[in-house]
Amino acid sequence: MSILVVADHHNSELTPVTANVVAAAKEIGGDIHLLVAGENCQAAAEAAAKLEGVSKVLVADNAAYGHQLAENVAALLAEIGKDYSHLLTGATAVGKNVFPRAAALLDVDQISEIISVESADTFQRPIYAGNAIATVQSEDAVKVITVRGTSFDPVAETGSAEIEALDKATDAGLSSHVSEELAASDRPELTAAGVVVSGGRGVGSEEGFDIIYKLADKLGGAVGASRAAVDAGYVPNDLQVGQTGKIVAPQLYIAAGISGAIQHLAGMKDSKVIVAINKDEEAPIFQVADYGLVADLFEAVPELEGKL
Amino acid sequence: MKVLVPVKRVVDYNVKVRVKADQSDVDLANVKMSMNPFCEIAVEEAVRLKEKGVASEIVAVTIGPKTAQEQLRTAMALGADRSILIETDEKVDSLTAAKLLAKVVEEEEPQVVMMGKQSIDTDNNQTPQMLAALAGFAQATFASEVTIDGDKAQVKREIDGGLQTIEVKLPAVISADLRLNEPRYAKLPNIMKAKKKPLDSKTPADYGVEVASKLKTLKVEPPAERSAGIKVGSVDELVDKLKNEAKVV
């Protein structure tokens, strides 16, 4: 039994979630290979080779895989994936885009966003916005799986796998990359941060988020937001935490001015400690908060920042 | 240009579901059902394409029990011209749904399949990508802006870290993200008119697709409960708790 983990990366850099996915692969057990498909992705491949438990890194370095377009990468996975018992990747924007396409080409179902490995063919995953946990068993020859990174502790960087170039290139010619607008941020990445400070509709404006950023910086954390805050234009959409945004599980999650709709809770209720600051003491967020403070966030958040 | 819009009947997004005592599934008896919110956005986008003169016909399709007709009527009240119900009482997994939809695509030959990025019941986020694979179409997932120009579509996609714009050749499958648009409400006269629009009833057998899954649900449990928290009276008390009790700062 051998497992192929598909790396999530930005060519020059491996994203941290890959180490979590390798941890999930180790729980399944078997020889672990790791695929880096991209353009000029040697640096990511070298970082991947250091992940503990990986025996071989395959590098498909070609212009066709440059922006990891689904049509091209899925075709590659369908071709080489047949020789593996499991294909795994992180439940990231790229993983979610590419993997179901590859699964259909392999004529197998996909198991999305697993949170635990029960055995080589049985996994747990949340359904209904995390309000139920399903245990599912797959009889497919190749198990195609995306992994919720926050549910597995990352492996160490103590390995030294061999790197093998994969001389394959498929350009389906169906799609092309035009441009990218990435939000510039020097704060830690939201899904990997130890502390997340999130603001909601209650923050009231884009300027109002200043106090959220200040508190996050004081704690060395990342900034998150509810859908209401994103839709109102206070922050960019990649900060959204929830069922349809990012799933986070930091040590400390501070929710300020967030009511706690089930779609938001789906993205953060596995955080170790949850603090809610809200002036409505009936807000549902208080039902999941370890520490709740009924107060005006415009007074409480700066005061908290000052006293930490 | 024809647009095909697959929609799904799911538990209403405001309902807090409960797991059945025998752990076989969640309890959906007497629970309010609605059109999946992402499907509403897909319908809205199709209707806007028609209003702009880009689309000429909108066909809504769903797979599910007889009651899923309600969601097709909703789609038609919002602007779809006709619809297809593929009736089955079995649970249909994403791959089977994609296979059935691929047959509909073969028959209808749409230029664009507009659908939601995920359904809020299974949270799978698979069917659009699988359909694109089986139909041999390009895919543009998690769309927040769609511009159709001739035989191409430019789609702005929501990705980790920001936005990405790609260009896909038509025919293509486009999956809608939350920020693509704000869906309209169905007006009463349109709801009445929708009752007269054509609705074809089919079965999976009509398409030669067997509803079977290699993925078995062994059990469904409620998530672990968080232990009850406490309310603090002041910021000082909160800082003290975080430092000395939770030890997270």
Side-chain angles (χ1 to χ4, degrees):
Chain A
M1 196 161 69
S2 53
I3 302 172
L4 183 68
V5 171
V6 179
D8 193 81
H9 66 92
H10 307 295
N11 290 325
S12 57
E13 212 181 322
L14 193 70
T15 46
V17 69
T18 306
N20 306 79
V21 180
V22 172
K26 281 182 75 177
E27 284 190 32
I28 294 169
D31 196 17
I32 302 171
H33 293 179
L34 199 143
L35 172 72
V36 181
E39 188 181 12
N40 299 325
C41 54
Q42 197 61 29
E46 278 161 24
K50 294 198 186 95
L51 295 177
E52 183 205 325
V54 175
S55 68
K56 186 157 74 174
V57 174
L58 305 168
V59 189
D61 195 333
N62 192 286
Y65 307 128
H67 293 277
Q68 298 169 67
L69 294 167
E71 295 81 1
N72 301 347
V73 180
L76 173 69
L77 290 178
E79 192 187 334
I80 66 171
K82 291 193 286 273
D83 300 331
Y84 291 90
S85 60
H86 297 74
L87 299 187
L88 261 64
T89 198
T92 60
V94 172
K96 289 175 180 175
N97 188 35
V98 172
F99 257 47
R101 190 173 179 108
L105 295 175
L106 289 162
D107 194 29
V108 301
D109 255 300
Q110 177 185 285
I111 308 165
S112 294
E113 279 202 80
I114 63 162
I115 56 168
S116 87
V117 173
E118 304 294 292
S119 71
D121 65 0
T122 307
F123 309 91
Q124 286 196 325
R125 60 177 303 266
I127 52 176
Y128 292 91
N131 286 302
I133 306 297
T135 304
V136 295
Q137 187 175 35
S138 166
E139 289 170 4
D140 279 313
V142 183
K143 280 126 187 112
V144 175
I145 298 167
T146 62
V147 176
R148 180 174 286 187
T150 56
S151 300
F152 297 87
D153 292 329
V155 295
E157 293 177 10
T158 52
S160 55
E162 54 167 316
I163 298 178
E164 187 183 305
L166 204 59
D167 189 20
K168 286 185 197 293
T170 324
D171 190 346
L174 292 172
S175 59
S176 55
H177 180 264
V178 178
S179 62
E180 223 158 55
E181 301 158 47
L182 297 181
S185 171
D186 40 20
R187 296 187 180 86
E189 215 268 313
L190 188 52
T191 53
V195 176
V196 174
V197 185
S198 278
R201 195 194 302 274
V203 178
S205 66
E206 195 178 341
E207 297 72 42
F209 254 82
D210 282 349
I211 56 172
I212 305 290
Y213 287 112
K214 276 190 190 143
L215 178 57
D217 289 344
K218 186 70 167 264
L219 291 162
V223 171
S226 69
R227 186 187 166 197
V230 173
D231 282 351
Y234 304 163
V235 290
N237 65 286
D238 57 302
L239 297 191
Q240 184 181 324
V241 171
Q243 185 183 18
T244 58
K246 304 260 169 73
I247 311 284
V248 301
Q251 291 290 305
L252 172 63
Y253 188 90
I254 301 178
I258 293 177
S259 64
I262 48 181
Q263 292 82 5
H264 184 75
L265 300 184
M268 45 64 82
K269 67 180 168 156
D270 293 327
S271 306
K272 185 160 171 272
V273 174
I274 298 173
V275 172
I277 301 172
N278 204 302
K279 60 183 174 190
D280 174 12
E281 62 179 311
E282 303 295 322
I285 190 81
F286 287 121
Q287 289 162 21
V288 300
D290 299 283
Y291 303 110
L293 176 63
V294 180
D296 184 343
L297 70 95
F298 295 102
E299 285 163 22
V301 171
E303 188 184 343
L304 179 60
E305 190 227 320
K307 286 179 174 162
L308 283 168
Chain B
M1 186 182 91
K2 193 190 278 185
V3 180
L4 183 73
V5 188
V7 298
K8 189 176 181 186
R9 175 184 173 87
V10 299
V11 63
D12 188 85
Y13 73 98
N14 280 315
V15 172
K16 187 154 196 282
V17 295
R18 280 177 210 292
V19 170
K20 283 186 192 170
D22 68 358
Q23 298 194 333
S24 60
D25 204 346
V26 297
D27 192 355
L28 294 181
N30 305 315
V31 168
K32 188 184 174 206
M33 303 294 279
S34 301
M35 188 191 293
N36 179 43
F38 291 99
C39 302
E40 287 183 359
I41 297 169
V43 172
E44 174 67 28
E45 194 65 17
V47 174
R48 290 186 190 189
L49 285 175
K50 197 174 172 193
E51 286 168 348
K52 277 190 239 167
V54 177
S56 51
E57 190 187 22
I58 302 169
V59 182
V61 55
T62 196
I63 305 161
K66 205 175 194 79
T67 46
Q69 278 191 20
E70 292 165 23
Q71 279 61 48
L72 291 175
R73 293 287 172 206
T74 303
M76 290 191 288
L78 292 167
D81 297 291
R82 59 185 173 89
S83 48
I84 303 165
L85 167 68
I86 305 172
E87 197 183 322
T88 172
D89 288 324
E90 302 282 315
K91 264 200 167 177
V92 177
D93 65 33
S94 308
L95 184 64
T96 307
K99 284 179 178 173
L100 283 164
L101 293 173
K103 295 284 183 186
V104 177
V105 163
E106 212 172 281
E107 238 173 53
E108 298 282 342
E109 299 183 334
Q111 284 296 294
V112 171
V113 181
M114 187 70 76
M115 55 201 296
K117 78 162 177 179
Q118 77 187 59
S119 64
I120 61 164
D121 50 359
T122 56
D123 282 334
N124 271 327
N125 190 338
Q126 299 170 354
T127 311
Q129 295 89 316
M130 288 182 161
L131 170 60
L134 299 178
F137 285 10
Q139 70 184 53
T141 51
F142 326 145
S144 64
E145 203 181 302
V146 176
T147 315
I148 292 179
D149 184 15
D151 61 349
K152 290 190 202 111
Q154 275 222 351
V155 179
K156 200 172 262 189
R157 308 178 53 231
E158 299 197 11
I159 58 167
D160 299 339
L163 296 164
Q164 177 194 55
T165 304
I166 59 167
E167 187 171 270
V168 292
K169 276 192 185 158
L170 299 185
V173 176
I174 301 175
S175 79
D177 214 319
L178 276 174
R179 266 160 296 276
L180 182 58
N181 60 48
E182 184 104 10
R184 69 192 70 187
Y185 291 98
K187 294 197 183 93
L188 188 60
N190 293 345
I191 294 171
M192 302 311 288
K193 273 185 222 156
K195 291 186 177 166
K196 297 205 177 79
K197 289 186 179 176
L199 191 157
D200 265 357
S201 265
K202 301 269 194 181
T203 65
D206 292 338
Y207 294 101
V209 174
E210 201 187 328
V211 177
S213 182
K214 291 202 165 166
L215 204 54
K216 279 190 298 197
T217 299
L218 303 182
K219 63 179 173 187
V220 175
E221 301 159 282
E225 291 278 334
R226 288 189 76 93
S227 50
I230 54 160
K231 287 227 173 95
V232 294
S234 67
V235 171
D236 287 315
E237 196 186 335
L238 177 59
V239 172
D240 174 64
K241 294 283 186 196
L242 290 177
K243 278 189 175 152
N244 302 318
E245 196 176 274
K247 297 187 169 64
V248 286
V249 293

